[in-house]
Amino acid sequence: MQVPLYVWILTLVGILGLLAFDFFFHVRKAHSPKLKESATWSAIYVGLALLFGLGVLMFGGTTMGTEYFAGYVTEKALSVDNLFVFLIIMSSFRVPRADQQKVLLFGIVFSLIARTGFIFLGAALINSFAWVFYIFGLILLITAGNLLKPDSHEEESEGFVVRLARKLLPASEHYDGDKLFTVENGKRVLTPMLLVMVAIGGTDILFALDSIPAIFGLTQNVFVVFTATAFSLMGLRQLFFLIDELLDRLIYLSYGLAAILGFIGVKLILHALHENNLPFINDGQHVNVLEISTGLSLIIIIGVLVITVLASIYSPKGKAKNMVSRAKRHATDYVDLNYETDIAEREAIFNKMVHEEQELRKLPEKYKRLIRNQTEFMDLIKQAHAEHDEALHREGRA
């Protein structure tokens, strides 16, 4: 279905308006969002995406509507997976929590720009060269294989983009609010805030190389590809703060995404065979193969995600791993004075860490082995306790 120009314009204006609203009313003034704020706005953005999908279904027809929802669910799942990497990057650069919103919004905007470029490039290639479906299918199969590697979201691994940013863009060791440049020893230098944005932006480009072939495996309608991708990114900032302490709990998410990407990769290759014009395959003639409908694809994608999430939530190993990661993160946050200086907020962080310590002591021995570098972990916990005692002592003297 050909989408009228005015629909494109209205859609673009709406998306840009949402981004502008997010910046001026939520991100411009640095603060740590509360659970209620994150939950409310996450629900609003998901609701807007679903309403838009109903509009596509009503005015574009069943096929177009089903393609939108299949694309949206797939891209949203991939976006949640990307949050793991964002969390690692921001932990690596020790981004103050109050400024993490700005970093995430930058990542969303940059991701939208990068993916839009890949979308139109992909559409042009598909229209000119049917064999591109083979390439897209192969990319997804390789990505699915990489996701099956153990510890694919390991915190100790900064990743190529982060290491490159640190090497090529040396900067001050200290943040200056949310400024990108600061003056140190009389010289104008970069701040870690600029470095983390470069790292996030570079990572977004790598993400686009996986996500765009995935959605083109479900639909070749450029309007559906663009809107499903855009709405999957909307509300990602709020979602991060809503589930950041549950991310480590989703221990089987990578396996679920590997299954989904592998499935879409096979679907793309089957479609490529059906549209085949390569002379060395069946003499350049199309191959009679089974083609998987978008409706069936949507059912399989949702089914895999539901099973993956439920298996992760009820897994004892998932609970234990999440507890270890949260204790380490809260201890790190507490000892980092750049993170949060408000005593009430630091008290809340410390109390969470203490609760997790108590729960860790109750774990069976086999789950305690999930703690990597136990000596380093215990030293970090002790440092947090020491700094908390000192902070309370200072407050008592004030």
Side-chain angles (χ1 to χ4, degrees):
M1 175 185 172
Q2 189 69 27
V3 178
L5 179 61
Y6 75 88
V7 175
W8 270 102
I9 294 173
L10 289 174
T11 302
L12 288 171
V13 169
I15 290 170
L16 291 175
L18 287 172
L19 290 172
F21 174 84
D22 206 17
F23 175 76
F24 287 106
F25 289 92
H26 293 111
V27 176
R28 192 175 186 182
K29 183 179 179 181
H31 70 285
S32 300
K34 303 300 181 184
L35 182 64
K36 183 179 178 181
E37 176 188 340
S38 299
T40 300
W41 284 102
S42 292
I44 288 173
Y45 278 109
V46 170
L48 289 173
L50 296 178
L51 283 175
F52 186 86
L54 291 175
V56 173
L57 190 67
M58 186 181 302
F59 296 103
T62 304
T63 299
M64 193 171 175
T66 305
E67 289 175 349
Y68 168 84
F69 282 112
Y72 172 74
V73 171
T74 300
E75 292 297 304
K76 196 69 174 179
L78 289 170
S79 295
V80 171
D81 188 60
N82 296 348
L83 289 180
F84 280 99
V85 182
F86 288 168
L87 179 62
I88 292 171
I89 291 174
M90 288 194 289
S91 296
S92 173
F93 284 98
R94 297 201 168 201
V95 180
R97 189 169 178 81
D99 293 320
Q100 288 180 4
Q101 292 197 93
K102 195 161 288 185
V103 173
L104 286 168
L105 185 61
F106 167 81
I108 290 168
V109 172
F110 189 89
S111 181
L112 186 56
I113 293 171
R115 294 184 192 204
T116 299
F118 278 111
I119 286 169
F120 286 100
L121 175 62
L125 289 172
I126 287 170
N127 289 333
S128 302
F129 311 103
W131 51 263
V132 169
F133 285 113
Y134 287 113
I135 304 297
F136 281 3
L138 184 60
I139 289 173
L140 294 184
L141 291 176
I142 293 173
T143 304
N146 288 334
L147 285 172
L148 291 174
K149 293 178 181 178
D151 299 325
S152 59
H153 295 301
E154 200 56 57
E155 276 189 46
E156 284 74 16
S157 175
E158 287 190 337
F160 170 74
V161 174
V162 175
R163 292 196 301 271
L164 193 65
R166 287 186 185 278
K167 184 176 181 180
L168 298 182
L169 299 170
S172 165
E173 292 293 325
H174 307 289
Y175 286 89
D176 186 4
D178 59 3
K179 294 179 182 177
L180 303 182
F181 298 89
T182 190
V183 176
E184 196 171 80
N185 298 324
K187 294 182 180 180
R188 186 176 170 84
V189 295
L190 308 178
T191 69
M193 182 62 73
L194 181 59
L195 288 188
V196 72
M197 287 187 173
V198 170
I200 291 281
T203 306
D204 277 330
I205 293 176
L206 298 180
F207 289 155
L209 294 175
D210 299 333
S211 69
I212 297 308
I215 194 168
F216 269 118
L218 299 168
T219 177
Q220 285 81 60
N221 186 312
V222 177
F223 181 78
V224 172
V225 171
F226 173 76
T227 53
T229 301
F231 276 103
S232 73
L233 294 171
M234 295 290 105
L236 195 60
R237 176 184 64 80
Q238 292 85 349
L239 186 64
F240 175 86
F241 289 100
L242 180 63
I243 68 171
D244 68 333
E245 294 187 350
L246 297 176
L247 282 173
D248 293 302
R249 184 82 168 263
L250 301 176
I251 61 171
Y252 299 123
L253 180 61
S254 291
Y255 297 103
L257 288 175
I260 291 171
L261 293 181
F263 164 74
I264 298 175
V266 171
K267 184 176 185 294
L268 272 170
I269 292 174
L270 290 175
H271 182 72
L273 289 169
H274 189 267
E275 300 289 327
N276 179 62
N277 56 13
L278 294 178
F280 54 85
I281 298 178
N282 200 33
D283 295 325
Q285 302 299 312
H286 78 275
V287 182
N288 290 320
V289 292
L290 173 69
E291 286 222 75
I292 304 168
S293 69
T294 307
L296 178 59
S297 299
L298 178 59
I299 293 171
I300 291 174
I301 290 167
I302 292 176
V304 169
L305 286 176
V306 168
I307 293 171
T308 298
V309 171
L310 290 177
S312 297
I313 289 174
Y314 291 103
S315 164
K317 181 181 177 181
K319 293 177 183 178
K321 187 175 181 181
N322 184 51
M323 207 174 298
V324 171
S325 297
R326 287 172 62 185
K328 182 178 179 182
R329 193 179 310 150
H330 287 136
T332 302
D333 291 342
Y334 191 88
V335 301
D336 186 354
L337 293 176
N338 284 326
Y339 174 81
E340 190 72 64
T341 55
D342 180 71
I343 188 63
E345 183 65 23
R346 290 176 70 83
E347 184 79 25
I349 295 167
F350 182 80
N351 288 338
K352 289 178 182 177
M353 185 197 75
V354 170
H355 172 72
E356 285 142 9
E357 277 186 89
Q358 294 170 348
E359 294 299 314
L360 282 173
R361 293 191 187 101
K362 300 175 186 177
L363 289 177
E365 194 61 36
K366 63 177 180 178
Y367 293 132
K368 290 180 181 178
R369 298 189 192 118
L370 293 171
I371 303 175
R372 292 177 178 270
N373 302 318
Q374 290 196 31
T375 302
E376 181 183 322
F377 175 79
M378 294 308 299
D379 287 344
L380 181 64
I381 297 292
K382 289 177 183 177
Q383 184 182 353
H385 276 278
E387 291 200 11
H388 185 66
D389 290 341
E390 185 179 343
L392 290 179
H393 182 65
R394 287 197 304 266
E395 286 293 308
R397 288 188 307 183

